[in-house]
Amino acid sequence: MSNFRRLLGYLRPYRYRVFLAVFLMFMVTLTALPLPRIIQFVIDRVLPHHMWHTLNWIFWIIIGIYLFRGIVSFSLNYLIGWLGQRVVFDLRFHSYRHLNRLSLSYYDQRQTGKIMARAVDDINVIQYMITGGFVTLITDMLTLVLVIPVIFLMNVKLALIAMAVVPIYVFNYKLFLKKIRPLSVEIRKSWDALIGTLQEKISGITVVKAFVRENYETEQFIKTIRLNYDLQMTQATLNRILAATATIIRAVGTGLVYWIGAKLVGVHTLKVGELVAFTGYIGYLYDPALRLVDFNVQAQWAGASMDRVFEVLDTRPEITDAPNAKSMTNLKGSVTFRHVSFGYSRDNQALIDINLDVQPGEVIAIVGPSGAGKTTLVNLIARFYDATEGAILIDGVDIRQIRLESVRRQIGYVSQESLLFSVSLAENIRYGRNDATREQIIQAAKNADLHDFIMTLPDGYDTKIGEEGIKLSVGQKQRMAIARATLTNPRILILDDATSALDSKTEANVQAALEKLMKGRTNFVIAHRLATIMNADRIVVMDKGRIVDIGTHAELVAREGVYQNLYNEQFKSAQDEALAELLG
Amino acid sequence: MRNFLRLVRELKAYWKIMVLIAILTVITAGLGLPGPLIVAHLIDSLYKHNPINLFLVFLALVGIAAGTGLVGYCLTFAVTYLGQQFKMEMRRRLYSHMQTLSLGYFEKNQIGKMMSNITNDVATLDQLISGSFVRLMQDSATLIGVLVIVFIKDWKLALVALSVSPFYVANYLLHIGHIKKAADDVREERDIMLGDLQEKLAGAMVVKSYAKERTEVRQFVGQTRNLLDLNVDLSMLGTRLWTIAEFIGSGCGVALIIWYGGREVMMNRLSPGNLVAFISFITGYMYGPILRLIQLNDQFARTNAALNRIFGTLDTEPNIQNKPAAKVMPDIKGHVEYKHVWFEYEPGQPVLKDINLDIKPGMMVAFVGQSGSGKTTMINLLSRHYDVTDGAILVDGYDLRDVTIDSLRKQVGVVIQETILFNTSIRENIRYGKLDATNEEVEDAARAANIAHVIEALPKGYDTLIGEAGIKLSGGEKQRIAIARAILSDPRILVLDEATSSLDSETESLIQEALDHLMKGRTSFVVAHRLSTIVASDLIVVMEKGVIREAGSHLELLQQGGIYASLYNQQFKVALESREAEGVKL
C-alpha cells in the first residue's frame, strides 16, 4: 500500500494536471447520467402522448450530449496518456540515473537481464496500471458517488433492493483475494525462474553441449514450464469462479429490481419508463464491481513491479561523494595505502592491513596466486569499492574526500574483461575522451598494435563491432581496451592482466608501446607472466589478502619466499633446456 | 498466409478441445440474446397492463445468468487449457530444437533474441489463439444472432441502426494507417533504447572507470524523451479513433434509434418494450463485434511476425546432424587422425588447409600459434561442433560423421577459456559432468582439481550457492571448478583450450599436477599461450594461418630452430638475461 502512495508521489509535480484529469473524469461520468432519464421521458411522456416535435428535439439533445462527451473524453484521454508516459519517463530516468550511481558491487551480484527487466518491463507494468487501472478505478468510484444518490432519489425501495446484493459480492471478492494473492506471487516467481533458466542455459550452451546434456536440459525446462502452466490454470479457474459468481449475484439484483419494480408499476407507484431508467442505472452500479476483478489482477502485478523498481531506487550507492568532496584536476599521482582492509562480505576478508606508498611515476607490479587480492587492490584505487578500514590517499588526500568523477577521469583502467560497445572501432577507442582527434585515435590504436589490423578492414576505423558488425577475438578486444585507456592520458594507469589473451609476439609489441606510455605516470600492473613485470620499479607480492613482500625483481628473486617460488615454478620446466640450447 | 495454414496444422492435435470451444462460444453468445427480449416482454405487459408472472421473469433472468456463468466458466477453462497447452508445447519444441542446433547458431544469434523467441513470440501466438480466435467466434455468433432478431422485429429500424456502421468502419480505416506508423516508430525508438540500455548496464564497469555516468544518463534521457513524445502521439491517435467511434456508435446510433424507433412506436408499428430491447442490442452487441472483426486484421499482422520467427527457428536445420545410419561409438582408446582436413567457416576462406596428424592413444598434443592460426578450430572439429569441409577426422578408425554425436561428445571432455558455471550449488556444478555421481566422486574430483580446500573452507561447503544469489569466486577458482567438472566426466579424450590461462603460475602448477595425473592414459589436446605449460607435451604442433608449420617434441623443435624456437626464446629471453645479470650459477 505504501508503494501505491509512493507512486502517487510521482504524480505530485503534475498535480494540477491530475486535478484537471479528475475533473474531466467527473464530467465524462456526468454525461453518462442523462441517457436513462431521456429514455424514461420518451417511454413515459413522449410515446403515450405522441409528442412528435419533442422526439425531434430529443434526437438533437442526445447528439449534443455525446458530442460534448466526446470532446471531454478526448481531452481526458490525451491528458491521461501524457501523464502515464510522463511518469514512465520520470521513473526510467530516476532508475537509470540511480543505476549509474550504484557501485560496482551492485552489478557484481546481479545479471544484466534482471536489471534491465526492472528498468523496462516493470516500469511498463506500472504505466499500464496508471493509465488503465487507476483511471478506471477513479471513474468507477465517481460513477458510484453519482449513481447511488440518483437511484435513491428515484425510488428508495428499489435502491435498497439493488444495494442489498452488494455485501454478498464484497464478501465473495474478499474470499477470492485471499487465494489469488499468494498465487500471483507464485506465478511471478515461476516466470522469473523460467527466464532465469533460459538466460543461463542459452548463454552457457557450450557447456551444455560439451557434456551432452541437451536432453537433460530440455527435461529441466519442461519442469519449469509445467509449473508455470499449472499455476496459470489455477489462476484462470479462480478468476472465472469469481466472474461467474459476480454474474449471478448481479442477475439476482437486476431480477429483484424487475420483480419488485413491476409490482410497483402494477399499483401505479412507478412508471414503466422509470423502471427502465432504473435498471439502466443499476448497470452503472454493478459494472464497477465486476471490473474490480481485472483491476485486482493488474494491481497485483503492478505491486510486484513497484516493489522491484523501488527496491532499485532504495538501494544506497555504497560509493558517493562526501558533501565537502573536492575536485582535484591535476594529480601528481602518488598513491598511499594506510592500514587498508577490505571484504566483499563480512566474513570474507579480501585485503588485510595493506600499507603501501607509491611515488608519482613509479611502475608497481602486483603478483600473487589467484584470490590473493590483486584485483581488489587496484579496484580500491579506482574507488569501485571503499576500504572497510584504513584509508587510501591520492596526492596525500583521502580519496573519499575527492570527487569521484575527478579521480576516475585521471585513472586509466584496463580490466580483465574487455567490454566494448556496439559502435564503431573509432568510437570505442574515443569513449574515454570525446574530443580526441582522428590522429590521436590512430596513435592509440598503434600503441595497442591494432592499427595494421584495423587497416585491413574494409571500413577501417568506422567498422562497427558487436551484433551488427564484426566479431573481435579476445586478444583484439583486449588491445582495443588498452587503446581506449591510453587515449585518455591518465595520471594513474592500471593494467589488470590486460595482455593475458595475447600471444607472445603481440604481447611483446604491446608491451614495448606500454612501456613508453608508462613514463611519467603512476602505473599498477597485474600480470601472471613474470616476463611482463620484471622491469617494474617495485614488485608487490600478495598472498591471501596481505602484502608479503616488496622489492625489485633482483631483490625478490634472491630471497626465499613466494616470489622466488613463483619464479622458479614458471621457469623450471623450460629454463634448463633453454639455457642448454642457448648457452651451451 | 502460409504461416497461418501451418499454424492450423499445428493446432490439429487440439481439434477436440477446439470444437468444444466453438460450441461453448456459440452457447455463450446465444445466452446473451434472451435477456433484452424478456425485458421487452415485461415492459410491454406492464405498458398494456397485461398480467405477467413476475417470479418467472426473475427466474429466467437469474437462470440465464447462471447459465452464462457456468458456460463461461467451462469456456474460459477450455480456452486457457488450449492456450497454455499450446504455449507449453511450442516452448518445449523451440527449446529442445535449439538444443540440437550447432554452436554456430548460438554464435550468430543474440541471447536476448533467442529468449524472446521462446517467451514473447509464443505469448503473442497464445493471444491470437486463446484471445482473438475465441473472440472472433463469439463476435460472429453474437452479430448474426442480433442481426436476425432486429431484422425480424423491425427491419426498417434495423436498417436505420445499421446506417451509421459505414461511418464507424470508415473512421477506423482512416486512423489505422497512422496508428500503425506511429506504433512502428515507437517500436523502433524503443529497440534502440533497449539495445543501448542493455549494453551500458552490462558495461557498467567501463562506464564507471571512465566516469561517464552523467554523459550516459544524458544520452538516455534524450532517447526516453523521444520515446515519450512518440508514445504521446500514438496514444493521441488512439484516443481520437475511439472517441469518434463512441460518438458515432453510442451517440448517433442511439439517437437515431430513439428518434426513429419512437416514431414507429407512436405509429403503433413497434412496441415500447422492443424499442428498449433495440437500444440494448445495438449499443451492447453490434458495434463492438463489428469493430473487433476489423481489428483482427491487425492482430494477424502482428502474429505473423511472431510466427515467422518461431517457424524460422524450428526450420533451422542443425549443421551437424547424425547420419541416418550413424552408429554409437563404442568405448574408444583415443587414437585420433586428421586426414587432409580442410575447413572454412565462410565459403572461400579456409581456416584449416590440408591438415594431417596422427595422434596415438594417450599422447599429449599441444597446439601453438598466433591467435587466428586455427588452433581452436582444430579442437572444435574434434568435438564435432563443425564438420570438416573436406578430408576426414577419425577416432579409433571411426569417421566422426559416421557415429552419433552424443556417443562422441560423451567421450571428449572440454575445458574452455571462458568458464561458464551455473547459478546453483558448487556440488551441482561439478556434478554436471556426471549426473549420477555420488558426493564422494564429486569431492574426489574437486580434490583432483585442487579446489577442495577452498570449497571446504566455505561455511556451507559444497552446498554453497554460486553466481547471482551466492558467493563470488575468483577467475582461478571458477576455472578449477570447471576442471573438476571435466575430471568427473572421465572422458577418453581431453581438450584444454587455454584452460589455465587465468591461473597464476603457482595455482597453475598445482593444477598442472592434477591435470598431468588426469591426462595419463588419455589422449589430450592442449591449447596454451604459455610455453611453460606445454613443454612436456609428446607432440607440439605449431600452426600458422591454418597450416601446420612444425610438429615434434620440445627438444626436436628447439633443435630445428624454426618458429617455435624463436617464440620460445622471445618468451624466455628476459628471464634468462635477468638470471645472467644476477649471476645465478647455471
Side-chain angles (χ1 to χ4, degrees):
Chain A
M1 214 45 225
S2 64
N3 271 339
F4 283 91
R5 205 166 304 145
R6 187 162 168 191
L7 183 63
L8 286 179
Y10 273 86
L11 287 170
R12 177 163 303 164
Y14 316 111
R15 56 184 173 278
Y16 295 114
R17 286 171 210 248
V18 173
F19 292 147
L20 181 61
V22 173
F23 174 72
L24 290 176
M25 280 182 218
F26 184 77
M27 296 301 286
V28 170
T29 315
L30 214 56
T31 54
L33 292 180
L35 192 64
R37 283 296 208 175
I38 291 172
I39 294 174
Q40 175 196 344
F41 182 71
V42 169
I43 292 175
D44 289 342
R45 298 288 301 281
V46 177
L47 297 185
H49 300 111
H50 294 277
M51 297 154 77
W52 297 92
H53 191 62
T54 319
L55 192 63
N56 292 343
W57 272 108
I58 284 172
F59 174 78
W60 291 112
I61 288 170
I62 295 176
I63 297 276
I65 290 172
Y66 272 95
L67 197 60
F68 177 69
R69 183 183 164 85
I71 292 165
V72 177
S73 81
F74 176 76
S75 326
L76 171 66
N77 285 321
Y78 180 73
L79 194 57
I80 297 287
W82 187 90
L83 277 171
Q85 292 297 338
R86 185 68 213 193
V87 171
V88 169
F89 173 78
D90 288 351
L91 269 173
R92 281 221 181 106
F93 167 61
H94 283 150
S95 310
Y96 190 68
R97 191 179 56 184
H98 195 75
L99 280 171
N100 268 292
R101 282 185 189 149
L102 288 175
S103 326
L104 266 195
S105 53
Y106 181 83
Y107 293 90
D108 291 343
Q109 291 152 10
R110 286 165 187 81
Q111 289 174 345
T112 316
K114 295 221 170 148
I115 303 177
M116 282 279 291
R118 287 169 193 222
V120 180
D121 300 338
D122 283 331
I123 290 177
N124 278 340
V125 174
I126 296 175
Q127 187 218 339
Y128 291 135
M129 159 93 198
I130 294 176
T131 51
F134 260 6
V135 174
T136 318
L137 189 71
I138 295 173
T139 316
D140 282 349
M141 296 220 277
L142 285 173
T143 313
L144 287 182
V145 168
L146 287 170
V147 165
I148 291 174
V150 168
I151 58 171
F152 271 93
L153 281 176
M154 282 180 76
N155 191 305
V156 177
K157 214 173 183 181
L158 283 183
L160 284 175
I161 290 167
M163 298 285 287
V165 295
V166 173
I168 310 175
Y169 182 80
V170 172
F171 178 70
N172 176 41
Y173 181 67
K174 285 231 154 144
L175 270 183
F176 160 83
L177 266 194
K178 214 179 266 172
K179 287 185 203 151
I180 199 88
R181 246 186 213 142
L183 195 64
S184 305
V185 175
E186 285 292 305
I187 290 181
R188 190 80 207 211
K189 263 195 212 150
S190 80
W191 182 249
D192 285 348
L194 192 152
I195 300 278
T197 320
L198 216 50
Q199 158 100 35
E200 185 173 78
K201 292 298 155 59
I202 293 183
S203 52
I205 191 73
T206 38
V207 175
V208 174
K209 287 201 173 290
F211 289 100
V212 202
R213 293 281 178 264
E214 289 96 335
N215 292 336
Y216 169 76
E217 289 306 342
T218 307
E219 275 162 36
Q220 294 296 316
F221 183 70
I222 292 172
K223 273 187 209 159
T224 336
I225 42 178
R226 181 91 222 174
L227 177 69
N228 188 259
Y229 164 80
D230 289 341
L231 291 170
Q232 297 265 15
M233 285 307 286
T234 318
Q235 192 195 34
T237 312
L238 274 177
N239 267 335
R240 203 52 220 182
I241 289 175
L242 178 72
T245 333
T247 315
I248 294 169
I249 292 173
R250 180 196 167 128
V252 170
T254 319
L256 280 174
V257 167
Y258 274 122
W259 187 358
I260 309 294
K263 281 204 164 151
L264 293 178
V265 173
V267 296
H268 297 290
T269 36
L270 193 73
K271 286 189 175 141
V272 180
E274 277 179 305
L275 180 58
V276 173
F278 196 89
T279 50
Y281 283 125
I282 59 172
Y284 294 157
L285 185 68
Y286 294 142
D287 283 346
L290 279 173
R291 271 197 289 265
L292 264 180
V293 185
D294 293 335
F295 179 72
N296 181 63
V297 174
Q298 215 178 20
Q300 292 291 333
W301 281 86
S305 294
M306 277 187 260
D307 280 345
R308 278 190 294 257
V309 172
F310 289 140
E311 193 203 309
V312 173
L313 289 175
D314 289 344
T315 311
R316 291 250 188 129
E318 284 160 25
I319 314 288
T320 47
D321 279 331
N324 54 350
K326 53 183 171 182
S327 237
M328 288 178 67
T329 37
N330 281 313
L331 291 180
K332 288 199 192 70
S334 83
V335 178
T336 312
F337 283 75
R338 237 182 236 163
H339 300 293
V340 170
S341 293
F342 175 77
Y344 289 99
S345 63
R346 207 165 281 255
D347 49 338
N348 191 355
Q349 286 288 70
L351 292 179
I352 304 157
D353 196 29
I354 300 289
N355 286 290
L356 182 66
D357 209 345
V358 181
Q359 298 307 315
E362 255 192 304
V363 178
I364 300 290
I366 306 167
V367 296
S370 67
K374 300 176 303 250
T375 299
T376 310
L377 188 82
V378 292
N379 275 342
L380 291 186
I381 302 173
R383 213 178 158 213
F384 288 133
Y385 308 92
D386 267 341
T388 327
E389 272 172 63
I392 295 163
L393 313 172
I394 292 184
D395 283 8
V397 183
D398 189 324
I399 54 170
R400 283 167 296 199
Q401 300 300 321
I402 312 174
R403 286 197 48 229
L404 198 57
E405 214 180 304
S406 72
V407 186
R408 288 204 187 135
R409 286 217 184 266
Q410 298 181 68
I411 293 179
Y413 189 110
V414 183
S415 65
Q416 282 169 327
E417 257 176 291
S418 321
L419 281 163
L420 300 174
F421 299 123
S422 305
V423 287
S424 71
L425 292 170
E427 281 169 285
N428 262 299
I429 297 176
R430 197 166 49 200
Y431 189 76
R433 194 171 152 197
N434 280 333
D435 57 352
T437 62
R438 199 29 77 136
E439 288 72 42
Q440 286 169 318
I441 293 173
I442 291 173
Q443 187 51 49
K446 279 183 180 158
N447 288 339
D449 201 18
L450 262 179
H451 181 71
D452 294 339
F453 161 71
I454 294 175
M455 292 321 283
T456 64
L457 299 169
D459 292 329
Y461 281 87
D462 297 319
T463 309
K464 279 199 77 166
I465 54 174
E467 203 189 337
E468 283 158 29
I470 60 160
K471 217 184 133 189
L472 297 177
S473 74
V474 182
Q476 285 160 342
K477 281 191 202 162
Q478 246 177 17
R479 283 182 279 160
M480 281 291 294
I482 291 172
R484 180 172 64 187
T486 54
L487 185 64
T488 59
N489 190 22
R491 301 307 309 144
I492 300 174
L493 185 65
I494 299 173
L495 302 171
D496 185 359
D497 220 359
T499 52
S500 64
L502 307 186
D503 51 72
S504 324
K505 209 168 171 180
T506 316
E507 192 187 9
N509 292 344
V510 174
Q511 199 66 43
L514 280 177
E515 266 164 37
K516 255 188 276 162
L517 280 165
M518 284 180 183
K519 288 214 175 79
R521 306 173 208 277
T522 312
N523 306 281
F524 293 85
V525 183
I526 298 176
H528 288 142
R529 281 181 240 184
L530 295 184
T532 52
I533 51 174
M534 264 170 328
N535 294 333
D537 293 323
R538 278 192 293 166
I539 297 169
V540 173
V541 186
M542 296 188 68
D543 195 17
K544 292 182 185 131
R546 293 174 198 276
I547 294 181
V548 292
D549 211 345
I550 301 180
T552 62
H553 173 71
E555 288 164 14
L556 290 175
V557 95
R559 54 178 177 251
E560 271 177 43
V562 180
Y563 189 79
Q564 199 184 55
N565 292 342
L566 281 174
Y567 181 77
N568 288 337
E569 290 287 355
Q570 204 168 106
F571 290 97
K572 186 180 58 186
S573 49
Q575 79 197 148
D576 299 335
E577 297 151 42
L579 290 177
E581 183 66 22
L582 286 174
L583 308 171
Chain B
M1 208 50 222
R2 202 183 316 130
N3 277 337
F4 288 99
L5 288 178
R6 182 161 168 193
L7 179 63
V8 170
R9 273 204 302 280
E10 300 279 348
L11 284 167
K12 238 183 211 161
Y14 305 97
W15 71 271
K16 275 185 199 155
I17 189 111
M18 291 186 73
V19 169
L20 179 68
I21 289 173
I23 294 170
L24 290 174
T25 315
V26 173
I27 295 176
T28 313
L31 281 174
L33 300 178
L37 294 178
I38 292 170
V39 173
H41 176 62
L42 173 73
I43 289 169
D44 287 341
S45 307
L46 290 175
Y47 221 69
K48 293 175 190 150
H49 306 289
N50 287 345
I52 181 167
N53 188 339
L54 290 172
F55 183 63
L56 220 59
V57 171
F58 173 73
L59 269 190
L61 288 176
V62 175
I64 289 169
T68 313
L70 188 70
V71 176
Y73 174 78
C74 300
L75 178 64
T76 314
F77 193 84
V79 167
T80 315
Y81 177 82
L82 170 70
Q84 296 285 342
Q85 278 281 335
F86 185 71
K87 247 188 334 192
M88 192 161 74
E89 173 62 16
M90 266 340 238
R91 287 193 174 135
R92 185 193 67 74
R93 270 178 49 192
L94 279 169
Y95 189 72
S96 62
H97 187 74
M98 278 184 190
Q99 296 283 339
T100 66
L101 294 177
S102 334
L103 272 192
Y105 176 81
F106 292 90
E107 278 160 12
K108 267 192 215 120
N109 291 283
Q110 259 196 330
I111 297 173
K113 289 203 177 141
M114 287 186 272
M115 280 183 59
S116 124
N117 201 213
I118 294 180
T119 55
N120 301 336
D121 289 342
V122 174
T124 310
L125 219 56
D126 173 44
Q127 275 168 19
L128 178 78
I129 292 165
S130 56
S132 310
F133 272 173
V134 172
R135 255 197 352 227
L136 175 71
M137 285 193 271
Q138 202 162 351
D139 283 344
S140 316
T142 309
L143 199 58
I144 293 169
V146 167
L147 284 178
V148 168
I149 291 174
V150 295
F151 270 95
I152 289 173
K153 290 268 172 198
D154 186 331
W155 64 272
K156 274 185 281 178
L157 186 52
L159 282 180
V160 169
L162 276 177
S163 67
V164 297
S165 42
F167 297 100
Y168 204 66
V169 174
N171 171 49
Y172 176 81
L173 294 179
L174 277 177
H175 275 90
I176 198 62
H178 298 287
I179 289 184
K180 259 188 202 146
K181 199 190 156 293
D184 284 345
D185 289 348
V186 167
R187 208 167 303 133
E188 204 176 304
E189 186 68 27
R190 203 181 128 85
D191 284 348
I192 295 175
M193 185 200 83
L194 288 184
D196 262 26
L197 190 62
Q198 157 97 40
E199 199 169 68
K200 292 296 156 57
L201 288 178
M205 173 86 176
V206 176
V207 175
K208 286 194 179 299
S209 44
Y210 289 97
K212 296 269 279 193
E213 290 97 331
R214 277 191 293 163
T215 325
E216 292 303 342
V217 171
R218 217 175 301 133
Q219 200 180 342
F220 181 75
V221 167
Q223 280 169 349
T224 27
R225 179 164 275 287
N226 283 345
L227 193 60
L228 165 83
D229 293 339
L230 289 173
N231 262 317
V232 170
D233 286 350
L234 176 63
S235 97
M236 199 196 66
L237 279 171
T239 300
R240 209 167 72 191
L241 165 66
W242 292 112
T243 311
I244 297 176
E246 200 201 8
F247 175 71
I248 295 174
S250 304
C252 302
V254 171
L256 269 176
I257 293 165
I258 291 181
W259 177 72
Y260 190 80
R263 294 171 65 93
E264 294 277 288
V265 172
M266 286 191 277
M267 288 187 285
N268 278 328
R269 278 189 266 182
L270 186 73
S271 71
N274 277 331
L275 176 60
V276 173
F278 249 95
I279 295 172
S280 53
F281 273 136
I282 303 289
T283 52
Y285 300 109
M286 212 160 84
Y287 295 123
I290 289 179
L291 200 67
R292 281 201 289 267
L293 286 176
I294 323 175
Q295 275 180 311
L296 266 182
N297 190 13
D298 192 31
Q299 176 90 35
F300 274 119
R302 209 167 328 135
T303 316
N304 195 28
L307 277 177
N308 264 336
R309 284 190 293 263
I310 289 175
F311 290 142
T313 305
L314 288 177
D315 291 345
T316 310
E317 295 263 334
N319 290 340
I320 311 295
Q321 273 175 308
N322 283 333
K323 268 191 192 168
K327 285 174 288 195
V328 170
M329 189 157 70
D331 286 349
I332 51 167
K333 290 201 192 72
H335 179 206
V336 180
E337 289 165 277
Y338 286 76
K339 281 193 175 160
H340 300 289
V341 170
W342 287 74
F343 180 74
E344 45 198 38
Y345 289 102
E346 302 290 335
Q349 296 172 15
V351 181
L352 293 180
K353 299 166 200 163
D354 197 30
I355 299 289
N356 287 292
L357 266 182
D358 189 355
I359 297 140
K360 297 279 181 286
M363 259 171 84
M364 175 185 174
V365 189
F367 293 97
V368 182
Q370 298 220 356
S371 31
S373 60
K375 295 169 302 193
T376 302
T377 308
M378 287 287 284
I379 57 180
N380 274 342
L381 290 180
L382 181 61
S383 310
R384 214 178 152 211
H385 286 309
Y386 301 94
D387 269 339
V388 295
T389 314
D390 201 5
I393 299 176
L394 308 179
V395 172
D396 281 18
Y398 292 96
D399 189 318
L400 292 187
R401 288 164 295 190
D402 294 336
V403 294
T404 62
I405 301 168
D406 283 16
S407 66
L408 165 72
R409 289 198 190 142
K410 272 187 183 146
Q411 303 190 58
V412 179
V414 183
V415 181
I416 53 170
Q417 188 175 8
E418 204 183 341
T419 315
I420 297 165
L421 298 177
F422 298 126
N423 291 324
T424 164
S425 68
I426 294 180
R427 190 192 304 285
E428 289 309 312
N429 264 296
I430 299 178
R431 189 175 276 156
Y432 201 78
K434 185 184 171 195
L435 294 177
D436 56 355
T438 63
N439 286 347
E440 272 161 30
E441 286 176 292
V442 169
E443 283 157 33
D444 285 344
R447 218 160 291 132
N450 268 318
I451 186 71
H453 59 285
V454 177
I455 301 172
E456 279 152 17
L458 296 166
K460 284 190 189 159
Y462 285 88
D463 296 317
T464 310
L465 289 178
I466 50 178
E468 206 179 345
I471 60 156
K472 216 184 132 189
L473 296 171
S474 75
E477 287 162 346
K478 279 194 211 160
Q479 191 61 276
R480 279 178 281 164
I481 290 179
I483 290 172
R485 183 169 64 185
I487 289 174
L488 191 61
S489 72
D490 191 27
R492 298 307 308 148
I493 298 176
L494 192 66
V495 174
L496 305 173
D497 185 1
E498 290 280 342
T500 54
S501 74
S502 66
L503 302 177
D504 50 84
S505 312
E506 193 181 41
T507 321
E508 189 181 2
S509 70
L510 283 174
I511 212 152
Q512 201 65 52
E513 227 176 81
L515 286 177
D516 287 346
H517 183 69
L518 173 75
M519 287 190 284
K520 196 167 286 166
R522 301 174 212 273
T523 313
S524 12
F525 291 76
V526 179
V527 174
H529 286 316
R530 272 184 258 182
L531 298 185
S532 61
T533 54
I534 52 175
V535 284
S537 309
D538 300 307
L539 179 68
I540 296 171
V541 177
V542 182
M543 299 194 63
E544 200 178 74
K545 291 178 184 153
V547 180
I548 296 179
R549 297 291 301 269
E550 292 170 20
S553 73
H554 174 68
L555 275 179
E556 284 166 11
L557 291 182
L558 277 187
Q559 277 156 12
Q560 277 181 24
I563 305 171
Y564 181 78
S566 74
L567 270 177
Y568 181 80
N569 291 337
Q570 195 179 4
Q571 215 173 90
F572 287 90
K573 192 178 65 188
V574 195
L576 296 169
E577 280 169 359
S578 70
R579 283 247 155 162
E580 266 180 294
E582 288 147 23
V584 177
K585 288 257 181 223
L586 297 170

